[in-house]
Amino acid sequence: LIRSRATEIREEIEIYHDRIRETVVAGLSPGELKAHHRRLALALETSGQADPEWLALHCKEAGDFERAADYAVTAARKAAETLAFERAARLFLLALELSDSADATARRALRVSLGDALANAGRGVESASAYIAAAHKAPTAESLELQRRAAEQLVRTGLIDQGLPVLQSVLEKVGFHYPASSAGSIL
């Protein structure tokens, strides 16, 4: 029912087939399942070699959302460093969902990181949305920079009609005027 495999770092044990896992899990009550996730998270933490993404999953399923969010951020940063931007975006989004109790500054930083991962993954529209959400209630300079980045992503993805109003707003706030015509831009 299980198989083991050795890596350079450790020996791992896994269930031989997903159907076996699904059958075992289906036989557990919600309380038992939560307790198993808690014990798995604790065992993985004490091993010191656990993947932060797995820790995030088990902590989340155990109901420890704060620790799950911390591990999701760690896993997301690790994924971004290895250029796995889709995975990083998914994990930053998970961290945002799990960190409702975090302060506004921490949530804003998560949104910016999410926007960066989405931009690097080529998902400009979603990136722009993350930047706009992060810009809301941010300090003025940071808000303007995030709005500029949102406009850039919208224009890069071909949504010029949506990106230009954002860009015009940023330019007006810093004392520049966006020309209304081609002749005005030449002047």
Side-chain angles (χ1 to χ4, degrees):
L1 299 178
I2 62 171
R3 65 179 165 197
S4 64
R5 66 178 175 179
T7 65
E8 291 180 16
I9 303 171
R10 62 184 174 261
E11 190 171 331
E12 298 176 347
I13 298 174
E14 62 185 5
I15 295 184
Y16 191 74
H17 198 281
D18 274 346
R19 287 186 184 169
I20 297 168
R21 180 189 51 79
E22 290 167 2
T23 303
V24 171
V25 169
L28 297 174
S29 72
E32 290 173 319
L33 189 58
K34 193 173 185 177
H36 284 301
H37 279 292
R38 185 175 293 111
R39 286 194 297 271
L40 280 169
L42 182 61
L44 288 169
E45 280 178 329
T46 45
S47 77
Q49 299 175 350
D51 179 7
E53 187 173 354
W54 281 105
L55 281 165
L57 169 79
H58 289 299
C59 287
K60 175 187 172 200
E61 294 301 322
D64 191 349
F65 300 126
E66 188 175 317
R67 278 184 32 216
D70 290 342
Y71 283 122
V73 169
T74 302
R77 288 185 179 140
K78 185 177 173 183
E81 287 173 5
T82 60
L83 308 180
F85 299 118
E86 288 285 343
R87 186 177 191 187
R90 182 177 46 80
L91 289 163
F92 278 126
L93 191 57
L94 175 64
L96 267 169
E97 291 170 3
L98 295 172
S99 64
D100 282 338
S101 62
D103 67 343
T105 304
R107 290 185 58 76
R108 183 171 45 254
L110 282 175
R111 283 193 178 97
V112 172
S113 295
L114 172 62
D116 292 343
L118 289 166
N120 287 327
R123 295 167 53 187
V125 176
E126 295 166 86
S127 173
S129 295
Y131 288 142
I132 293 293
H136 183 67
K137 294 187 179 178
T140 304
E142 185 179 356
S143 177
L144 288 172
E145 172 59 16
L146 291 169
Q147 290 175 55
R148 183 204 61 78
R149 289 164 76 177
E152 177 184 356
Q153 289 302 313
L154 290 168
V155 170
R156 281 184 178 202
T157 56
L159 298 174
I160 296 169
D161 292 339
Q162 292 176 352
L164 281 181
V166 177
L167 183 59
Q168 288 170 342
S169 171
V170 170
L171 287 173
E172 287 174 12
K173 289 176 184 171
V174 294
F176 287 97
H177 176 70
Y178 187 85
S181 66
S182 297
S185 65
I186 292 172
L187 291 175

